[in-house]
Amino acid sequence: MNLIPANQMDMEKVEQFLEKNEGINKSSLVRAGYVVEVSGEIVGCFSLETMEEGIYWLKQLYINQTNASKLPVLLEAILTLAKRQQAKSVYVHSHQPVVDILLEALQFHPQKEKMFVDKYQRDEGNWWLYHVS
């Protein structure tokens, strides 16, 4: 599994991936995102956007159904990437109970009434925070 900055990837491959996976914000992906490549094929993507110095927001996390079992490994790789970028914390907004379970297992902490959560409110789902060490 390779994490490649989307803006360094062959744009034709990225376009083909986006055509198959509607709902992914292309401009955000190209600006702050990465594609997940397995055996030369893009199977997922995510954006790791800087919100404030040292604070990142993991957005648009997607992996295709065939590779869904690799989601825990992908999340670990994203946290390693965030650490290399000298992140202090990574926020995630989850919409799915199974992702909540995975985030909790990876030592993310649920967030309720914190400054970041209030600033970037979402109607549904849960906010999680990971302290990068």
Side-chain angles (χ1 to χ4, degrees), residues 15-26 45 60 62:
E15 290 288 346
Q16 290 171 355
F17 171 75
L18 292 172
E19 284 175 18
K20 294 178 197 171
N21 302 286
E22 295 177 11
I24 296 170
N25 183 315
K26 179 184 176 182
C45 67
Q60 298 197 113
Y62 172 81

Side-chain angles (χ1 to χ4, degrees), residues 12 22 32 41 62 88 104 108 118 133:
E12 191 172 311
E22 295 177 11
E41 178 187 355
Y62 172 81
K88 294 179 183 132
E104 189 170 19
F108 279 76
D118 293 340
S133 53

Side-chain angles (χ1 to χ4, degrees), residues 17-86:
F17 171 75
L18 292 172
E19 284 175 18
K20 294 178 197 171
N21 302 286
E22 295 177 11
I24 296 170
N25 183 315
K26 179 184 176 182
S27 63
S28 175
L29 182 62
V30 171
R31 179 175 29 83
Y34 293 79
V35 294
V36 180
E37 188 180 59
V38 174
S39 301
E41 178 187 355
I42 299 175
V43 299
C45 67
F46 63 93
S47 293
L48 195 58
E49 295 196 17
T50 305
M51 304 313 292
E52 298 172 17
E53 186 174 336
I55 300 174
Y56 289 80
W57 182 357
L58 174 58
K59 299 169 83 174
Q60 298 197 113
L61 176 59
Y62 172 81
I63 192 161
N64 66 19
Q65 197 166 3
T66 308
N67 290 277
S69 64
K70 295 179 176 136
L71 185 57
V73 175
L74 175 57
L75 278 166
E76 291 278 0
I78 292 168
L79 294 174
T80 300
L81 175 67
K83 187 174 185 173
R84 274 190 259 139
Q85 293 180 356
Q86 300 180 339

Side-chain angles (χ1 to χ4, degrees), residues 72 75-76 79 88-92 99-111 127-133:
L75 278 166
E76 291 278 0
L79 294 174
K88 294 179 183 132
S89 54
V90 175
Y91 283 89
V92 177
V99 175
D100 289 342
I101 293 167
L102 178 58
L103 292 171
E104 189 170 19
L106 291 171
Q107 300 181 350
F108 279 76
H109 304 286
Q111 302 294 293
W127 280 102
W128 295 84
L129 170 64
Y130 182 85
H131 294 288
V132 180
S133 53

Side-chain angles (χ1 to χ4, degrees), residues 1-14:
M1 176 183 313
N2 297 315
L3 306 182
I4 302 166
N7 61 11
Q8 294 177 16
M9 190 69 184
D10 176 0
M11 275 305 137
E12 191 172 311
K13 272 183 144 178
V14 173

